[in-house]
Amino acid sequence: MSENGRTGGGKSLGTRVRDWFNGGDPDGRAKLRAWATGDDGRWRGYTHSMGKYVTWLMVIACILYPFTRGIGSILALLAAIFLMGGRVMIERQVRRDVSDLEEAKRQYGLTRNPEYLRFMTLRAEGLLEDNKILTPDSRSLLQDYAQWARERQEREDRKQAKKARKAEKKARREADQESDESADAAARNEENKAADGS
């Protein structure tokens, strides 16, 4: 008799079923749960899947077929196609926008142009506001982009304010020097006139 036969024979039926469900793996239940729900931790995109809704629409189409002579099924399947196509379009838009945000971040690093920061803030906040089917991971990614751009924008604003204050002080100093020089020149002119008149 084999070793598996000997050990399997000594186990109760419940233990063998539990081992079978675990797949001989301590993480078997988690793996089964991932298989049943379709959530295995892999990245699926920036937007939520429409798979559940499409599956339900297909089931509804199957149920409606005999009662509506196929017309109800066609409508349910058209709604499923509409859902899948809409998700593809939104996913493509979000991918393009995230790519634009990454490029703007890179360009800001190269040029230090504050327009890239304004672009990043507006685009990321617009995506967060407009797209309701974004996954939590993509929402946090967009919030990180917006936060990064806001922090850099605040730094840039502080630098610009500091430069403006320095330029104002310099202009004031130059104006004071010019007024002092013009006052000195006027005093010399008066002294020269007074010396010429005497």
Side-chain angles (χ1 to χ4, degrees):
M1 188 179 246
S2 71
E3 188 175 315
N4 288 339
R6 272 185 265 132
T7 57
K11 293 182 179 178
S12 69
L13 180 62
T15 305
R16 283 188 283 174
V17 168
R18 187 174 55 245
D19 287 346
W20 181 81
F21 272 114
N22 284 337
D25 191 349
D27 295 331
R29 287 188 180 160
K31 289 178 181 177
L32 284 172
R33 193 176 310 111
W35 173 80
T37 61
D39 182 22
D40 56 359
R42 288 185 293 172
W43 187 76
R44 303 262 186 226
Y46 293 106
T47 57
H48 286 289
S49 173
M50 295 291 131
K52 289 184 231 176
Y53 307 112
V54 170
T55 303
W56 279 109
L57 284 169
M58 287 180 179
V59 169
I60 290 170
C62 291
I63 293 170
L64 289 177
Y65 184 78
F67 300 113
T68 62
R69 296 183 187 176
I71 294 175
S73 299
I74 290 172
L75 293 176
L77 293 174
L78 285 175
I81 291 170
F82 176 74
L83 278 176
M84 289 187 301
R87 192 230 178 195
V88 167
M89 286 176 23
I90 292 172
E91 180 75 24
R92 190 175 298 148
Q93 174 202 358
V94 173
R95 282 178 193 264
R96 192 172 31 242
D97 289 343
V98 168
S99 174
D100 290 346
L101 288 169
E102 188 61 38
E103 181 63 22
K105 185 176 182 179
R106 191 179 73 78
Q107 288 296 324
Y108 175 75
L110 295 173
T111 63
R112 297 292 182 209
N113 185 351
E115 288 297 316
Y116 290 115
L117 298 175
R118 281 191 277 284
F119 167 79
M120 287 178 69
T121 304
L122 292 174
R123 180 65 60 96
E125 289 175 352
L127 279 171
L128 286 169
E129 186 176 319
D130 293 342
N131 291 323
K132 304 300 181 202
I133 65 168
L134 293 173
T135 61
D137 291 339
S138 56
R139 282 194 173 281
S140 67
L141 175 71
L142 291 171
Q143 288 168 348
D144 290 344
Y145 276 124
Q147 181 66 27
W148 183 87
R150 268 190 242 113
E151 288 171 358
R152 298 304 184 282
Q153 186 67 43
E154 288 170 3
R155 283 187 209 163
E156 192 68 31
D157 290 344
R158 284 193 298 259
K159 284 180 185 177
Q160 293 299 327
K162 192 174 182 179
K163 284 181 183 178
R165 283 194 303 268
K166 283 183 180 180
E168 187 179 315
K169 285 179 183 178
K170 185 177 179 181
R172 214 179 295 138
R173 255 187 260 126
E174 289 174 357
D176 288 344
Q177 286 176 353
E178 287 177 9
S179 64
D180 289 345
E181 289 173 4
S182 63
D184 290 343
R188 276 189 235 120
N189 283 340
E190 289 297 322
E191 288 176 8
N192 288 341
K193 284 181 185 177
D196 288 341
S198 50

